[in-house]
């Protein structure tokens, strides 16, 4: 028997059963261990379906049944992936994944679940891309590996493939193959290789018995060892990629609804930029038209009140007393703090009431556009009314504005938003710089030899262009 105790979850305040026993120890006693993960993007899928059904005559089936009704061969979804337009797509929105899709010919769903594995440690992405694009040039260490690795272009990606190699090539029983899978999956450093020594000897002997030359068997074993940094299982990859494909499907067919749901999950500028890129209009927050969360209004996105810095739960109160006849009416009935009123003023939430008093009399109100743009960035997180870089569009037309570019070297142009200097161990000065381009934000490093040349002329809000390169780890440096 495993002792359990009842505790109160600090977040949900619900009472749950828990134990302090280690998972591996429970497994050794014969208990089944389940890792239960919370995936917030399921809410995004559900919210998207709800929005689509609210605004469209052709209703979608239940979100809970989405894996039954989406077509895994859907052409629009494959086309979206082919263009690497994966912003908001579960797991695939990461820069390294977008760069991968920019360099491969997307053929179907299998590219989705392979991608979630290829971007993990221990996989040579360039080798995978080359094999993916040139399948006729794949050379197997031994032809016995072909039926096992053909689907992954001759490269070991999954734990299940390791089991198959051990079983079909080296003659391990399925239980033995699973044991070695577990050992390799938990091996994290060179010292741990000692625990694999008994398996190595058995593996090579088994291969020899199966008419595989000893030197070839050793090469196969070394390929298996490469997965010790992160052994991923295919069942996990496919299950997660079903969620990824569902996101891509909804984005391909219902962009504004999907982006609205993404924004309500994570209020990030990249989703706004995606909508603007596709021609959708972003409407500013409004005390009469906005709700707590972002909403769709006449095929435009209306900013939600709760996403304004400092407003938070006050949005419930504002929405409760809608509509308001004038700003004075809002102040009298809503009774929120003067700081919150100023915040709403700064982001234009009273614009629809400006020029009208409670008696309906009109007056001219002048808006400071520069201040409005600055307030939007500070209090909402992104620009709505305009972009301070708009006057520089012509100058920056040859610059790269997307940090998910597949180019190794490129020119970026933008405004410095963050600047942090750092002293190296040698006593030299370097800098970490945030640069806002026309449609993205870059975090770049200026190493001492570069930083020393122009640091006197650079400060926050400076407009610059800089030759930039991508590092091996996916970061950016100024040359």
């Amino acid at each position: 028997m495993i002792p359990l105790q009842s505790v109160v979850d600090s977040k949900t305040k619900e009472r749950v059963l828990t134990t302090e026993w280690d998972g591996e120890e429970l497994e050794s006693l014969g208990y089944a261990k389940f890792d239960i993960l919370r995936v917030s993007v399921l809410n995004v899928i559900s919210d998207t379906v709800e929005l689509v059904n609210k605004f469209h005559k052709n209703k979608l089936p239940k979100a809970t049944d989405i894996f039954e009704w989406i077509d895994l061969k859907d052409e629009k979804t494959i086309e979206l992936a082919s263009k690497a337009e994966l912003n908001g797509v579960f797991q695939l929105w990461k820069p390294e994944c977008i760069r991968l899709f920019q360099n491969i010919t997307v053929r179907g769903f299998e590219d989705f679940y392979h991608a979630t594995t290829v971007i993990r440690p221990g996989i040579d992405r360039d080798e995978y891309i080359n094999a993916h694009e040139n399948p006729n040039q794949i050379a197997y260490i031994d032809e016995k590996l072909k039926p096992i690795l053909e689907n992954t272009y001759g490269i070991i990606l999954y734990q299940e493939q390791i089991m198959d190699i051990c079983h079909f090539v080296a003659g391990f029983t399925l239980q033995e193959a699973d044991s070695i899978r577990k050992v390799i999956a938990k091996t994290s450093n060179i010292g741990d290789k000692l625990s694999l020594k008994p398996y190595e000897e058995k593996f090579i002997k088994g291969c020899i018995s199966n008419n595989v030359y000893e030197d070839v068997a050793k090469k196969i074993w070394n390929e298996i060892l490469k997965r010790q940094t992160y052994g991923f299982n295919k069942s996990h990859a496919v299950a997660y990629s079903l969620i990824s494909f569902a996101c891509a499907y909804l984005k391909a067919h219902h962009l504004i609804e999907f982006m609205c749901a993404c924004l309500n999950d994570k209020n990030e500028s990249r989703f706004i930029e995606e909508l603007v890129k596709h021609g959708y209009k972003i409407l500013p927050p409004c005390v009469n038209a906005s709700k707590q969360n972002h909403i769709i209004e006449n095929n435009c996105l209306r900013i939600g009140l709760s996403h304004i810095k400092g407003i938070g739960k006050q949005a419930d109160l504002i929405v409760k007393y809608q509509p308001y006849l004038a700003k004075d009416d809002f102040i009298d009935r809503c009774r929120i703090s003067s700081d919150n009123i100023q915040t709403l003023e700064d982001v234009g939430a009273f614009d629809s009431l400006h020029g009208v008093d409670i008696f309906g009399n009109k007056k001219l109100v002048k808006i400071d556009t520069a201040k409005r743009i600055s307030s939007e960035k500070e209090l909402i997180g992104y620009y709505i009314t305009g972009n301070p870089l708009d006057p520089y569009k012509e100058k920056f037309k040859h610059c790269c504005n997307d940090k998910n570019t597949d180019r190794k070297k490129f020119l970026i142009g933008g405004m410095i938003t963050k600047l942090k200097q750092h002293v190296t161990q040698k006593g030299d000065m370097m800098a970490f710089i945030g640069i806002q381009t026309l449609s993205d934000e870059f975090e770049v490093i200026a190493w001492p030899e570069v930083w020393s040349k122009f640091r006197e002329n650079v400060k926050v809000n400076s407009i610059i262009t800089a030759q930039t390169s991508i590092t091996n780890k996916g970061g950016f440096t100024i040359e």
Side-chain angles (χ1 to χ4, degrees), residues 160 163-164 166-168 171-181:
E160 289 90 338
M163 292 175 64
D164 282 345
C166 290
H167 178 60
F168 293 108
F172 283 34
T173 65
L174 289 176
Q175 186 174 1
E176 288 172 332
D178 189 49
S179 297
I180 194 172
R181 176 197 64 81

Side-chain angles (χ1 to χ4, degrees), residues 107-118:
R107 302 185 180 99
F109 175 59
E110 68 175 23
D111 286 315
F112 281 69
Y113 60 80
H114 288 345
T116 61
T117 307
V118 171

Side-chain angles (χ1 to χ4, degrees), residues 184-206:
I184 290 175
K186 293 171 184 176
T187 300
S188 58
N189 56 61
I190 295 174
D192 289 337
K193 284 186 178 180
L194 295 175
S195 61
L196 292 170
K197 197 66 180 176
Y199 292 101
E200 179 181 3
E201 294 172 0
K202 182 178 176 62
F203 180 88
I204 292 172
K205 287 181 180 178

Side-chain angles (χ1 to χ4, degrees), residues 443-447 467-471 475-479:
E443 297 286 339
V444 301
I445 297 174
W447 296 109
Q467 190 65 38
T468 310
S469 61
I470 298 179
T471 67
F476 303 95
T477 61
I478 295 178
E479 296 188 331

Side-chain angles (χ1 to χ4, degrees), residues 99-235:
R99 291 186 193 122
L100 175 67
F101 275 86
Q102 287 171 337
N103 286 283
I104 64 172
T105 304
V106 182
R107 302 185 180 99
F109 175 59
E110 68 175 23
D111 286 315
F112 281 69
Y113 60 80
H114 288 345
T116 61
T117 307
V118 171
I119 64 169
R120 298 177 186 275
I123 307 291
D124 186 328
R125 291 172 207 165
D126 291 335
E127 180 188 3
Y128 175 81
I129 290 170
N130 184 61
H132 185 283
E133 297 305 291
N134 303 283
N136 294 331
Q137 297 178 16
I138 297 172
Y140 295 92
I141 299 174
D142 188 280
E143 281 300 305
K144 291 183 176 64
L145 296 177
K146 186 174 182 178
I148 300 171
L149 302 181
E150 189 171 23
N151 183 253
T152 54
Y153 309 100
I155 300 169
I156 301 174
L157 294 185
Y158 305 110
Q159 293 178 5
E160 289 90 338
Q161 289 176 309
I162 293 174
M163 292 175 64
D164 282 345
I165 293 171
C166 290
H167 178 60
F168 293 108
V169 181
F172 283 34
T173 65
L174 289 176
Q175 186 174 1
E176 288 172 332
D178 189 49
S179 297
I180 194 172
R181 176 197 64 81
K182 290 180 179 179
V183 173
I184 290 175
K186 293 171 184 176
T187 300
S188 58
N189 56 61
I190 295 174
D192 289 337
K193 284 186 178 180
L194 295 175
S195 61
L196 292 170
K197 197 66 180 176
Y199 292 101
E200 179 181 3
E201 294 172 0
K202 182 178 176 62
F203 180 88
I204 292 172
K205 287 181 180 178
C207 287
I208 293 172
S209 298
N210 196 20
N211 298 318
V212 177
Y213 290 113
E214 183 176 353
D215 61 330
V216 174
K218 289 180 178 179
K219 287 180 181 179
I220 298 173
W221 177 255
N222 287 332
E223 287 298 312
I224 290 174
L225 288 183
K226 288 180 182 179
R227 298 297 161 259
Q228 70 185 63
T229 52
Y230 198 101
F232 206 49
N233 58 74
K234 185 176 180 179
S235 57

Side-chain angles (χ1 to χ4, degrees), residues 7-14:
V7 298
V8 176
D9 187 294
S10 60
K11 291 184 179 180
T12 65
K13 306 303 179 184
E14 296 178 353

